[in-house]
């Protein structure tokens, strides 16, 4: 007997035959390389981005999406400058509950196999003087026009007090993060330069990526490899094999500790693959 | 005496000195070139895009933002394929009210001076057989993985029945569109190729753009011009002058009627500027 008032029951896993999501395994067993934590992934996405989608509530309770530029407070909380001439600005005055979604800026591979993060919480305004000057500088850093609009009476600065963080890294990579975990996560020094590095590796060093796929990730039958992500701990590869497409990762000898660290780390990885 | 229960009062225009938003005028008067209607702008954004942000309602009524790929039904209604393993999928089953926001794919100039559109309405599932086969083909067109996931029991296709459309084209360019106006708006044949054309004009034909700015748009004192938008009726230019930065537009002799039409139209515009 079913209870018509009960919450809907949802499956806990994909409703499909297990082999539907099976990818080729490496032919040689390898250690699993270190990855950023979900909190670090979330911070890295927000750190690199400048444009977000904002979800607010319209006066009839309908969810309303819009596009904003955002700056960042020192703890990674997004700050936005919005006008009550816009629907999202009026929505926030009535009900400050909101979500902010940030997508990976430079995308490689399948659009859904890229990072995005939802920060849900309550927007807060007005800010006190000390916070306002930090927030204003943060929004001007991403949109020069904010210097002009910041002085208009219909605009206000809002900071998102984060309550929930949901990170999706791509197919099968996702996790929830606490607000505290997000705020205290270590920033990745190579996050801002990763997009450039990935393009450079794919455009000019496809041979090195293939050597890395074969020698480091255990796909000894790889016929091509493409880099889809890079962080201070390693690079993610999409690898073509006669057995199908595989998704793997090669770890650096040491984590990168500076902004330009990906160059030396990938050179070392290539040398190790060819040793 | 104020009524504490009244809805907040919002300004009807920017609360700022009028000169704060004044840009340099052309030095020679010119006719205002034709533009796409707001409905055509909205359709063009959705037509070219493949990734959107989806706003739904969490179980506590909080607005929840997420990223989806979307396909398009023949009338421009977005269709998405989502799993109840994801929060947005569970949200839709409980409350199907939603918004979908699409941003201009290739962006030129200030991030907030680019197009975006919010489509708000109610998501609908399950679809009948005829509609489902069109919808499934539409999502597979933008994400090959949809062919796999479409067969999973936790995934469902949802079509947005649009109620409200809000288009924002950039600074000072915005309008609301009815659902019927959106569904019946004419598609722009050059929309899919506009990004390429803009990059090519800026990279290889800066001299032509400057001639156009000076001779066609009336900014005879222009020192540089950059193309920021292109559609079947003309191109938008950001023009540098000794009097400051101006935003203008040059109209084509005839609207483009085919996918590759921007090339001939901009060649004609350049010849006319140099005549």
């Amino acid at each position: 007997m079913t209870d018509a008032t009960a919450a809907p029951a949802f499956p806990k896993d994909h409703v499909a035959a297990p082999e539907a999501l099976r990818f080729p395994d490496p032919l040689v067993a390898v250690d699993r390389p270190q990855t950023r934590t979900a909190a670090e992934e979330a911070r890295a996405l927000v750190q690199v981005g400048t444009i977000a989608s904002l979800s607010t509530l319209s006066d009839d309770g309908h969810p309303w999406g819009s596009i904003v530029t955002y700056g960042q407070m020192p703890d990674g909380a997004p700050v936005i400058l919005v006008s009550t001439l816009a629907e999202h600005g009026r929505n926030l005055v009535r009900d400050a509950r909101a979500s902010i979604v940030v997508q990976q800026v430079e995308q490689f591979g399948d659009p859904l196999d890229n990072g995005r993060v939802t920060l849900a919480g309550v927007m807060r305004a007005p800010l006190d003087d000390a916070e306002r000057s930090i927030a204003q500088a943060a929004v001007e850093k991403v949109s020069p026009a904010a210097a002009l609009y910041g002085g208009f009476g219909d605009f206000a600065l809002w900071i998102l007090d984060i309550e929930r963080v949901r990170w999706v890294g791509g197919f099968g990579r996702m996790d929830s993060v606490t607000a505290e975990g997000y705020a205290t996560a270590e920033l990745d020094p190579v996050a801002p330069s990763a997009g450039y590095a990935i393009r450079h590796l794919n455009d000019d060093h496809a041979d090195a990526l293939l050597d890395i796929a074969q020698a480091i990730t255990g796909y000894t039958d790889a016929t091509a490899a493409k880099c889809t992500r890079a962080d201070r701990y390693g690079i993610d590869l999409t690898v073509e094999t006669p057995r199908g497409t595989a998704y793997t990762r090669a770890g650096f000898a040491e984590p990168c500790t500076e902004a330009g660290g990906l160059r030396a780390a990938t050179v070392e990885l290539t040398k190790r693959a060819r040793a």
Side-chain angles (χ1 to χ4, degrees), chain A residues 19-30:
Chain A
E19 63 271 21
L21 280 173
R22 194 161 291 162
F23 300 109
D25 287 321
L27 295 177
V28 174
V30 292

Side-chain angles (χ1 to χ4, degrees), chain A residues 104-243:
Chain A
Q104 194 173 314
V105 173
E106 290 195 79
Q107 308 206 337
F108 305 90
D110 187 292
L112 285 188
D113 195 29
N114 281 293
R116 60 264 195 192
V117 61
T118 301
L119 309 174
V122 178
M123 286 284 190
R124 176 166 51 83
L127 309 179
D128 68 32
D129 287 352
E131 213 171 27
R132 187 166 54 241
S133 70
I134 297 169
Q136 177 66 28
V139 295
E140 287 182 22
K141 202 166 154 191
V142 294
S143 172
L148 173 65
Y149 292 116
F152 287 17
D154 52 305
F155 276 83
L157 287 162
W158 297 78
I159 289 176
L160 180 65
D161 286 335
I162 297 169
E163 293 173 349
R164 283 207 293 151
V165 177
R166 180 71 181 170
W167 164 71
V168 179
F171 296 140
R173 304 172 67 232
M174 55 197 67
D175 207 350
S176 295
V177 176
T178 64
E180 194 196 344
Y182 174 82
T184 58
E186 204 174 334
L187 292 177
D188 184 340
V190 307
S193 63
Y196 172 82
I198 294 166
R199 265 183 285 119
H200 177 60
L201 286 169
N202 288 327
D203 292 348
D204 302 329
H205 298 290
D207 54 338
L209 294 176
L210 179 56
D211 290 340
I212 291 166
Q214 292 171 344
I216 308 283
T217 74
Y219 286 90
T220 50
D221 63 342
T223 56
K226 192 182 158 193
C227 181
T228 55
R229 278 181 282 264
D231 57 58
R232 61 177 160 161
Y233 301 117
I235 57 175
D236 284 4
L237 299 174
T238 297
V239 176
E240 303 304 328
T241 82
R243 300 170 292 135

Side-chain angles (χ1 to χ4, degrees), chain A residues 32-41 44 173 185-191 194 216 229-236 249-258 261-262 265-266 268-269 272:
Chain A
R32 200 185 170 92
Q34 185 171 0
T35 57
R36 292 194 294 217
T37 65
E40 288 170 350
E41 292 284 353
R173 304 172 67 232
E186 204 174 334
L187 292 177
D188 184 340
V190 307
I216 308 283
R229 278 181 282 264
D231 57 58
R232 61 177 160 161
Y233 301 117
I235 57 175
D236 284 4
R249 177 173 174 85
F252 297 142
E254 299 289 338
C256 302
T257 54
E258 51 189 63
L262 281 173
T266 51
E268 187 282 330
L269 197 54
R272 186 151 39 101

